[in-house]
Amino acid sequence: MNSLIGTYECKVDSKGRLMLPAALKKQLLPVLQEGFVLKRAVFQPCLELYPMSEWEALMQKVNKLNRFKKKNNDFIRRFTAGVKMIEVDATGRLLIPKDLVGFAGISKEIVVSSAINIVEIWDKQRYEKAIDDATGDFADLAEEVMGQDDDDYGIS
């Protein structure tokens, strides 16, 4: 799957249904029939929507962990807590389960944002706060993550 592109402001109805933005739905067309996995994000109060092929690739890596190490078992349990299989209906809507709506603090106004090969789903106010909080540190972060001189770790 190619990298996804775009950040979209959307609304969720009272039942937790989200209409995928047309531009994002078009990018996801090749994987729509496979379904998706929706889960809690590890580092932020948002949700992550994985196309099934991306989820399966990630699970192959996780499955290599030695489950006889307690920290690995604890990680697997917490990483997969609240994971749900999701399908997009014929009209382009997906249902966000109530427990995940609660985790992410999702209200009516949301932001759906591409994150390379997955989609993040945020409550709009939390998204704007996360972006604002990171603004001052972003230049330093970009330099540290992407500014390496060798080709293995940077883009230069």
Side-chain angles (χ1 to χ4, degrees), residues 91-108:
T91 63
R93 293 182 306 185
L94 61 87
L95 176 66
I96 303 171
K98 291 198 181 304
D99 62 322
L100 295 178
V101 166
F103 169 82
I106 290 175
S107 58
K108 188 173 184 166

Side-chain angles (χ1 to χ4, degrees), residues 55 60 78 137 140-141:
W55 178 255
Q60 285 180 357
R78 292 180 68 191
D137 301 329
D140 292 337
L141 179 63

Side-chain angles (χ1 to χ4, degrees), residues 5-144:
I5 299 170
T7 300
Y8 311 91
E9 291 187 13
C10 308
K11 295 187 186 312
V12 174
D13 69 15
S14 61
K15 294 180 181 177
R17 292 178 299 199
L18 158 67
M19 177 71 73
L20 281 178
L24 184 59
K25 184 179 173 187
K26 184 176 179 181
Q27 294 175 65
L28 292 169
L29 273 177
V31 297
L32 274 181
Q33 296 304 314
E34 297 173 18
F36 299 87
V37 170
L38 187 63
K39 69 174 287 302
R40 303 169 185 177
V42 174
F43 299 108
Q44 299 289 341
C46 69
L47 304 176
E48 296 172 337
L49 183 69
Y50 286 78
M52 193 58 71
S53 58
E54 295 293 332
W55 178 255
E56 289 172 356
L58 179 59
M59 287 298 96
Q60 285 180 357
K61 292 177 185 176
V62 170
N63 198 37
K64 292 179 182 175
L65 294 172
N66 182 344
R67 293 183 187 206
F68 286 95
K69 291 186 176 180
K70 184 180 181 320
K71 69 178 180 180
N72 291 353
N73 230 4
D74 291 347
F75 167 79
I76 291 167
R77 183 178 313 105
R78 292 180 68 191
F79 184 76
T80 59
V83 168
K84 303 282 192 292
M85 291 184 65
I86 301 290
E87 292 185 6
V88 176
D89 70 15
T91 63
R93 293 182 306 185
L94 61 87
L95 176 66
I96 303 171
K98 291 198 181 304
D99 62 322
L100 295 178
V101 166
F103 169 82
I106 290 175
S107 58
K108 188 173 184 166
E109 305 277 330
I110 65 167
V111 172
V112 176
S113 181
S114 62
I116 304 173
N117 60 345
I118 66 170
V119 175
E120 293 181 342
I121 301 172
W122 289 81
D123 174 75
K124 184 179 177 189
Q125 289 182 333
R126 287 185 175 192
Y127 178 79
E128 289 173 357
K129 183 177 183 336
I131 294 298
D132 289 345
D133 288 351
T135 301
D137 301 329
F138 186 67
D140 292 337
L141 179 63
E143 181 178 12
E144 182 179 335

